[in-house]
Amino acid sequence: MDVSDLMDLKAYVGEKLEGKIDAAEIAYEELNLTTSADNIVAVMKFLRDDVQTQFHSFIDICGVDYPERAQRFEVVYHLLSPRQNMRVRVRLKTDADTPVPSVVEIYPGADWFEREAYDLYGILFTGHPDLRRLLTDYGFEGHPLRKDFPLTGFTEVRYDDAQKRVVYEPVELRQEFRNFDFLSPWEGTDYVLPGDEKETKAN
């Protein structure tokens, strides 16, 4: 990727979207745009439709959680322009109570990605045709990819072939505790590792 092409794209987008983007920078050979929830629809329409951009290919939407921030979530969009052979990353900030406009009408492929972000992070999208959980089970409480989601105390769901139904069970750690040895991790050792002599003598 020619850096000059990215610089030209950055200047062009910055001029055309003046007032709609908060920042534009080049990192990892991609253009990174920062916008707000109020402007995301206009920004995405421009990136798709403008003749100089033509970001027709929608890659994905993902969430990022920064629990120490007032606006703890970032919604990150990745787009590809096959015509220009370039990628762009668009980011915006929101919190657990402030919804983000859906871009499904612009990029129909965003449908399940927005559902996934809602399911795993609790990010709300207004205007989505069917915003419901995608990966977790019916009646699941909480959002598993939030940094403050507890790792224990919940139940797991599995299909029991013997009972021919879905069963709910407490979460269990399947792996037994094992004292690993770097030289032979799956076999017990008959020798004392260097540094463990003191522990043996103390006992």
Side-chain angles (χ1 to χ4, degrees):
M1 175 62 65
D2 191 346
V3 177
S4 63
D5 292 339
L6 281 173
M7 294 296 293
D8 292 342
L9 178 63
K10 175 184 173 183
Y12 180 75
V13 170
E15 178 185 348
K16 292 293 186 179
L17 293 177
E18 186 176 2
K20 290 186 172 60
I21 58 173
D22 302 322
E25 60 181 0
I26 296 173
Y28 304 105
E29 298 184 351
E30 288 185 21
L31 178 61
N32 295 269
L33 304 176
T34 303
T35 186
S36 63
D38 295 335
N39 294 315
I40 185 62
V41 171
V43 169
M44 298 296 268
K45 278 184 178 178
F46 170 82
L47 292 174
R48 182 195 65 180
D49 297 338
D50 189 84
V51 69
Q52 296 295 326
T53 56
Q54 300 189 44
F55 286 96
H56 295 157
S57 182
F58 174 83
I59 305 299
D60 76 354
I61 297 174
C62 62
V64 187
D65 186 15
Y66 299 95
E68 68 280 0
R69 297 181 183 174
Q71 292 182 299
R72 66 181 293 178
F73 300 118
E74 281 193 7
V75 184
V76 185
Y77 305 79
H78 294 94
L79 307 175
L80 169 68
S81 174
R83 180 66 177 269
Q84 306 294 346
N85 191 26
M86 292 182 182
R87 296 175 183 267
V88 66
R89 180 182 296 113
V90 183
R91 306 185 317 184
L92 62 86
K93 295 179 182 178
T94 189
D95 57 37
D97 301 319
T98 306
V100 175
S102 173
V103 297
V104 170
E105 289 189 4
I106 305 168
Y107 294 103
D111 187 344
W112 281 20
F113 289 99
E114 289 182 350
R115 286 180 60 189
E116 181 182 18
Y118 163 69
D119 189 3
L120 301 182
Y121 290 96
I123 299 170
L124 300 171
F125 295 89
T126 57
H128 190 283
D130 185 22
L131 190 64
R132 57 191 167 96
R133 290 186 181 271
L134 179 67
L135 299 176
T136 56
D137 191 54
Y138 300 109
F140 187 90
E141 295 182 8
H143 304 281
L145 288 189
R146 288 188 179 184
K147 298 285 180 64
D148 53 5
F149 185 79
L151 298 180
T152 60
F154 284 79
T155 57
E156 62 182 355
V157 180
R158 67 176 179 84
Y159 179 78
D160 190 304
D161 196 46
Q163 299 181 47
K164 303 296 183 192
R165 67 181 182 90
V166 173
V167 295
Y168 292 77
E169 297 175 336
V171 173
E172 295 180 4
L173 298 177
R174 299 290 182 185
Q175 184 177 359
E176 296 179 358
F177 177 77
R178 187 184 297 270
N179 289 320
F180 286 101
D181 170 31
F182 289 109
L183 299 178
S184 181
W186 304 113
E187 301 291 339
T189 61
D190 297 325
Y191 57 89
V192 178
L193 291 173
D196 287 350
E197 309 89 0
K198 298 175 185 176
E199 181 69 21
T200 304
K201 291 178 182 177
N203 292 337

